[in-house]
Amino acid sequence: MRVMKALVYDAPGKGSVRHIPYPTCGNDQVIIKVMAAGICKWAEIGHDTTGTGLAKYPVVPGHEFAGYVEEIGKNVTKVKAGDRVTADNTVLCGDCYECQHDNSLYCENFGSLGHNINGGFAQYVLVEKSKVFAIPDHISFDNATITEPVACAVHAMKLLKPKLGENILVTGMGPHGLILSQLAHFSDAEKVAAIGLRQDRLDWLAAYGVPTILAARDDFSVHEKAIAQMFPHGVDAVIDSAGSWPMVKSLFKFLRKGGRYLQYGSFHSAETLDITSGMLNQLHYREQQYISCSAQTYCFPQAIEYIANGKVKLDNMVSHMFPLDDYFKALEVNKTDKTAVKVIIHPNE
């Protein structure tokens, strides 16, 4: 029996790198030799602690990955062995009420590689043919792993629908905030400003032409003064990828009448959300909108195009790389190292 090396969680917090059976390729499936897989801080820390909302165990985690086509089923025609590819991790049933009403993201039987289906922290991963996408030669496998976060950001922009001439604030300069800032910058918006606590990450965006504002963790009046100077009439939208309630309250006061607040990042579980009736009344009387965004479906082609044409630049995001055997060391770096942006695993190194 052919085997492969993989990271397997038998239950939340109970994972190990070991050998498991090599997958069997069905007629409409593709097996990818995984050359790079990215650690998603939320998902992978979830597997290593209490589990994730979608998870079913045992499972191979990892929903951000790229590599070579190793094997194809007899009905697969759009890729061939040796092609460089990435894959959309979502698996939709197509039969439930939501799928039949064009709401695939809300599929009642939603599947996700790396959560309830084996994912990319393995030497090989099995994917449905409709979810496999070729990547141009100039996109590295490391960068291609970030296609999934870019696809989620594309979905967010579709929900926000930036209009010609609008002003937008983006907060939280983790990988998603860096991506969202670039997508917003290349939208119809007039001016987009990124707010974050790390000057080095803001410098990356400034080099791409995105205006930036350095936040002060202990004195919000510093960035509030800078926002007031840059946007004296307020902003039309706030995109929050940080999940920091104090920062949300700080920025909410700059939201214009008719403005939109898009929650992209989950709020920190340890924080108390002191939502007052005054804040809700502001939404009501100022006709402001709260927009939530959780994931994506069918956004991979646009994400690959944004990466390929350079409108979303990823070269500065890959900060650490590890072989699969060192996965738990990589996870610890992702948790504790302030310089970590995207930590990448190389399963076939």
Side-chain angles (χ1 to χ4, degrees):
M1 179 179 69
R2 185 176 179 182
V3 296
M4 65 178 184
K5 189 180 293 185
L7 167 70
V8 182
Y9 275 89
D10 297 298
K14 296 181 179 180
S16 64
V17 177
R18 60 182 188 257
H19 285 93
I20 63 172
Y22 175 85
T24 300
C25 190
N27 292 338
D28 298 302
Q29 295 177 313
V30 175
I31 293 177
I32 298 172
K33 181 178 182 179
V34 182
M35 302 308 296
I39 290 182
C40 168
K41 183 169 289 190
W42 173 82
E44 269 56 83
I45 291 176
H47 280 302
D48 208 52
T49 53
T50 59
T52 72
L54 283 173
K56 291 183 180 179
Y57 299 98
V59 72
V60 175
H63 61 272
E64 307 171 5
F65 55 87
Y68 293 109
V69 173
E70 176 76 7
E71 187 178 340
I72 62 173
K74 70 177 184 180
N75 296 333
V76 177
T77 58
K78 73 174 184 178
V79 295
K80 63 185 184 301
D83 283 355
R84 305 174 74 254
V85 296
T86 186
D88 184 339
N89 60 295
T90 61
V91 178
L92 315 168
C93 76
D95 296 324
C96 70
Y97 178 89
E98 298 295 352
C99 284
Q100 291 295 312
H101 286 76
D102 197 26
N103 295 318
S104 59
L105 185 57
Y106 316 138
C107 174
E108 296 167 4
N109 305 298
F110 193 87
S112 176
L113 276 70
H115 293 277
N116 50 21
I117 303 169
N118 283 348
F121 289 130
Q123 290 181 300
Y124 300 92
V125 61
L126 181 68
V127 184
E128 297 300 316
K129 67 177 185 178
S130 63
K131 295 294 185 173
V132 177
F133 299 92
I135 54 175
D137 289 342
H138 71 276
I139 299 177
S140 69
F141 285 128
D142 287 346
N143 283 355
T145 68
I146 310 176
T147 304
E148 193 273 343
V150 175
C152 290
V154 167
H155 174 63
M157 299 306 293
K158 290 181 177 181
L159 292 173
L160 187 66
K161 299 182 178 69
K163 301 179 182 66
L164 189 68
E166 287 191 325
N167 294 319
I168 299 174
L169 286 172
V170 183
T171 181
M173 291 302 111
H176 289 276
L178 294 168
I179 293 164
L180 286 161
S181 296
Q182 295 179 71
L183 287 177
H185 178 67
F186 284 106
S187 72
D188 286 335
E190 173 66 25
K191 181 183 289 186
V192 175
I195 304 173
L197 297 167
R198 293 283 303 272
Q199 186 63 58
D200 55 346
R201 298 185 186 182
L202 294 176
D203 288 344
W204 300 348
L205 291 173
Y208 305 154
V210 181
T212 64
I213 296 172
L214 181 65
R217 190 183 300 275
D218 299 320
D219 186 2
F220 283 7
S221 67
V222 174
H223 67 250
E224 289 177 359
K225 181 179 179 180
I227 293 170
Q229 291 175 341
M230 188 177 292
F231 302 107
H233 302 292
V235 297
D236 301 282
V238 173
I239 303 173
D240 171 41
S241 71
S244 170
W245 183 242
M247 179 62 78
V248 169
K249 291 194 295 182
S250 173
L251 301 184
F252 205 76
K253 67 188 71 172
F254 295 99
L255 199 60
R256 298 179 62 238
K257 290 182 178 179
R260 291 103 68 212
Y261 163 77
L262 189 146
Q263 182 188 340
Y264 186 92
S266 299
F267 284 114
H268 302 164
S269 60
E271 288 186 348
T272 299
L273 306 187
D274 53 338
I275 303 174
T276 65
S277 59
M279 292 184 69
L280 295 177
N281 282 335
Q282 175 179 325
L283 282 170
H284 169 54
Y285 288 111
R286 294 170 66 87
E287 294 193 347
Q288 294 167 333
Q289 299 176 50
Y290 170 89
I291 303 170
S292 58
C293 176
S294 61
Q296 66 82 40
T297 59
Y298 300 112
C299 293
F300 260 61
Q302 301 99 308
I304 293 170
E305 185 63 28
Y306 273 111
I307 298 170
N309 65 25
K311 287 186 176 179
V312 173
K313 299 182 186 299
L314 305 176
D315 291 338
N316 288 315
M317 291 193 196
V318 176
S319 57
H320 298 77
M321 294 167 284
F322 294 86
L324 184 59
D325 285 334
D326 290 340
Y327 173 81
F328 291 99
K329 181 188 296 185
L331 186 63
E332 188 62 26
V333 166
N334 199 43
K335 290 178 184 178
T336 61
D337 191 331
K338 297 299 184 182
T339 68
V341 186
K342 286 301 293 184
V343 179
I344 303 296
I345 300 297
H346 293 156
N348 279 288
E349 186 171 283

